[in-house]
Amino acid sequence: MKKWKKVLCSVMAGIIVAALPVQAAVVDQEIKAAIETNDIPPWPKASDLMAESGILMEFSTGTVIYSKGGDQRISPSGLTKLMTILLAVENSAFTDQVTFTDICLAKADPEKNLGLVAGETLTMEQCLKAMTLENSYEIAAQVAENLGPSEAQFVAKMNERAKAIGCKNTNFTNAGGNFDPNQYTTARDMTKIFREGLKNKMFRKIIRTSKLTVGPTNLNGMERSVSTYHPIRSKYSSIFDPDCMGGTFSVSQEAGSSLATAVKKNGVIYISVVLNDVDINQAGVDTQYLMKYGYENFQKIPVNGGSVVIPNGMSVADLQISEQKSGDKVRQFYAVDNYRVGRGVKQEAVPAPEVRSDEQITEEQTDRMRQTPVEEAKENGLSDTARILLGVMAVMVIILIILCILLAIKDHKERRYYED
């Protein structure tokens, strides 16, 4: 009996230990990451988020306006699909056909999926829109299989593209965001990926999707519809923002709720990413706060060849400027207390015209008057008009000579005729 109890205790201990990593990934309100941007002296002090980490960035300059735990590694979960969508729009057409296999369908979220079956075909556009609206792990995996040509090869391209964008703390192991302890990112890196996507017109079209209806397919005669759960994008949400350009979300037991959002206010595009929040509604509230903090406390000002984003009340004259030679251009980087806020291109100085005294001008005019026309021609050369006139005259002389010759020949023939 005692032996049976020891075996049971060992099994229970094993189960608890196995569960620890999953529970540790869930947001812990007792562990608070610092708000790094509050340490910039002139920066308006910002409030904390419920999310484990969050970033607010201005699109055109890439200036990070708010950062809480921005470089803290966290599971990207379903936000992984932002990179999958980016690679898909860069390497395929919306009309491409995607046929599903059992291997990819096995990765579907059992509670939220389109009910696809093996052999069923959707267009690439339908796939990418569905990924924006749901977790859609199975659809992301199938897109990767189509473009990879295997998911593993596609994931290698995801990591390569992430490094090219400037991500330093990101590693993908699958295309859809299925939980894997070796798959991680940061709020800063995910914001960089989202920003890169927004530069692409087709990416923007996908992430602004709020509803998708999949009509009859080759294996299903029914219509299936899915709407967004994004609290800033959904018209049924109490915090819906009509200025929202789009975004996507993720909800999972292992990584909490995460939200990626783009909003355009007063001509300025703000991008926010919050990771590992309490729930999707709180992620929306945190996002709403970030957006309001950005457009109420900061201004975007144009500079030579670019722009800067700085707190209200500051001017370009208050900024530090450093320069870097790049080819035939000189790039200028603007900073607030060594924190970069934008850049521009230095304008090359135009040489001022030479200013000559009246005495110098008089001497030159006198010398010019002393020159003969031949000397002046030798000095300055012939003008284009003179060359043309000389050419025309030369042609006319040649024609005249030819006419004289022809007349002489004719006159000679006539004389011989009459002499004969």
Side-chain angles (χ1 to χ4, degrees), residues 43 61-64 309 322 324 333-343:
W43 230 244
T61 62
T63 301
V64 173
V309 175
S322 59
Q324 179 181 331
F333 299 94
Y334 297 80
V336 173
D337 195 47
N338 296 316
Y339 187 80
R340 189 170 291 181
V341 294
R343 67 180 184 177

Side-chain angles (χ1 to χ4, degrees), residues 49-266:
L49 305 176
M50 293 293 283
E52 186 173 346
S53 68
I55 286 276
L56 177 68
M57 176 186 288
E58 193 280 321
F59 169 72
S60 65
T61 62
T63 301
V64 173
I65 298 172
Y66 178 104
S67 174
K68 173 191 175 181
D71 296 312
Q72 185 172 328
R73 290 183 177 182
I74 299 176
S75 169
S77 190
L79 292 194
T80 300
K81 58 198 174 188
L82 286 173
M83 177 57 82
T84 304
I85 293 171
L86 174 59
L87 285 181
V89 297
E90 290 178 338
N91 296 281
S92 67
F94 279 172
T95 54
D96 288 353
Q97 300 295 297
V98 180
T99 301
F100 287 82
T101 64
D102 284 325
I103 295 176
C104 293
L105 290 173
K107 300 179 181 183
D109 183 332
E111 296 182 359
K112 295 179 180 179
N113 61 76
L114 283 176
L116 299 168
V117 297
E120 191 168 0
T121 298
L122 299 181
T123 65
M124 181 64 73
E125 182 177 10
Q126 289 174 322
C127 289
L128 300 183
K129 287 183 175 180
M131 288 166 58
T132 301
L133 301 174
E134 290 277 14
N135 280 340
S136 303
Y137 303 133
E138 78 284 13
I139 296 179
Q142 195 63 65
V143 168
E145 289 277 356
N146 274 40
L147 299 175
S150 69
E151 184 174 4
Q153 290 171 297
F154 185 84
V155 169
K157 295 175 184 177
M158 292 171 65
N159 288 318
E160 182 180 347
R161 188 75 172 89
K163 289 180 181 178
I165 293 170
C167 299
K168 298 180 179 179
N169 293 288
T170 294
N171 183 64
F172 296 113
T173 59
N174 62 72
N178 298 80
F179 180 74
D180 183 335
N182 293 317
Q183 178 152 282
Y184 54 83
T185 191
T186 65
R188 188 185 305 276
D189 282 359
M190 191 54 66
T191 305
K192 288 180 179 180
I193 293 170
F194 194 20
R195 179 183 181 228
E196 187 71 12
L198 289 172
K199 297 176 184 178
N200 186 296
K201 180 175 65 175
M202 306 317 293
F203 182 95
R204 288 194 186 197
K205 180 178 180 180
I206 293 300
I207 60 100
R208 71 168 176 255
T209 303
S210 58
K211 183 177 181 179
L212 170 68
T213 298
V214 177
T217 67
N218 59 321
L219 295 180
N220 192 325
M222 302 291 291
E223 281 192 348
R224 289 160 285 180
S225 295
V226 58
S227 298
T228 185
Y229 292 96
H230 194 301
I232 308 293
R233 182 66 178 154
S234 173
K235 293 182 179 179
Y236 302 102
S237 169
S238 60
I239 55 175
F240 165 72
D241 189 340
D243 293 321
C244 181
M245 299 172 63
T248 191
F249 68 96
S250 171
V251 178
S252 70
Q253 180 183 357
E254 300 87 0
S257 297
S258 299
L259 210 58
T261 313
V263 171
K264 188 173 184 179
K265 292 280 188 184
N266 303 319

